[in-house]
Each structure stands twice: as structure tokens, then as C-alpha cells.
Amino acid sequence: QVQLVESGGGLVQPGGSLRLSCAGSGFTFSNYAMSWYRQAPGKVRELVAFISSTGGITNYADSMKGRVTISRDNVKNLVYLEMNSLQPEDTAMYYCKAARGLRGDYWGKGTLVTVSS
């Protein structure tokens, strides 16, 4: 019943921008912190951005160099990831995760972002 569905991925040219969305259902969305992770082939999954349940706290991976913004809409049960100045090394599957304390996490199936000319 619990679902996290990512969308918004696709092919963009270097220097381009993209906004990813993740829709949650089957759980109380506003009680969960949300995160975006990414994983490229042959590499470990890494945290991109984090936002607390109310949106009051956000954290970002240093490697993103201020190019990423995470936000959420608890009325619509959506979390967003805005990415700017994308480069080929940003190519990866991007996943959203819902977490509440030390309880089990919920994961989406991912959306593919490809940065290429």
C-alpha cells in the first residue's frame, strides 16, 4: 500500500536543469523525513539531499556545490529536487526515501537522469 513514485528524469544537456518529483501515498507523509539519493552504475548509492518532516531542516551533499534544492509540499504529499548546472557526472538513477526515526525506510524505484550532449 505504501508507495513512493519518482518522476521528472530524462535526458538533459550539460549545463541544463531538471526538477524531480516524488509522490508518496499509503502513509502519513508529513510525519516522515524525505531524502534524495542517487546511484550510478558500478558506484555506491549516495545521499544528495535531505529535508525534515516539516521542511524546517535541509542538508545537501557537498559535491552538489549549491546546485541542488530540496523542497516538499505536505498537502500534496510531494517532495522535489531541483538541479541546476548539470554535468555528465550527475548521470544516475535518482531515488527518494521516506524515513521516520529508526523505523524501516520506504524507497521509490527511481527515475533516471542522463546528462549528455
Side-chain angles (χ1 to χ4, degrees):
Q1 188 175 14
V2 172
Q3 289 188 353
L4 290 173
V5 181
E6 302 95 336
S7 62
L11 175 64
V12 296
Q13 294 186 336
S17 300
L18 209 59
R19 188 179 80 163
L20 308 181
S21 300
C22 177
S25 62
F27 66 103
T28 305
F29 186 85
S30 60
N31 287 345
Y32 286 74
M34 301 296 298
S35 300
W36 285 95
Y37 287 75
R38 70 180 183 183
Q39 186 171 27
K43 299 182 179 179
V44 299
R45 186 171 298 187
E46 63 176 345
L47 177 68
V48 175
F50 165 91
I51 187 167
S52 61
S53 59
T54 62
I57 301 173
T58 57
N59 292 104
Y60 302 96
D62 290 339
S63 61
M64 302 307 293
K65 301 179 180 179
R67 299 180 293 117
V68 178
T69 301
I70 188 171
S71 60
R72 67 188 297 160
D73 185 336
N74 284 346
V75 175
K76 298 181 179 180
N77 291 354
L78 291 171
V79 61
Y80 305 98
L81 184 69
E82 298 181 51
M83 299 185 290
N84 305 307
S85 301
L86 289 166
Q87 299 299 313
E89 50 265 38
D90 295 315
T91 296
M93 286 290 294
Y94 284 73
Y95 303 89
C96 66
K97 183 188 77 173
R100 186 180 183 184
L102 298 178
R103 303 178 188 181
D105 302 331
Y106 301 134
W107 287 88
K109 295 182 179 180
T111 185
L112 179 63
V113 173
T114 303
V115 185
S116 176
S117 60

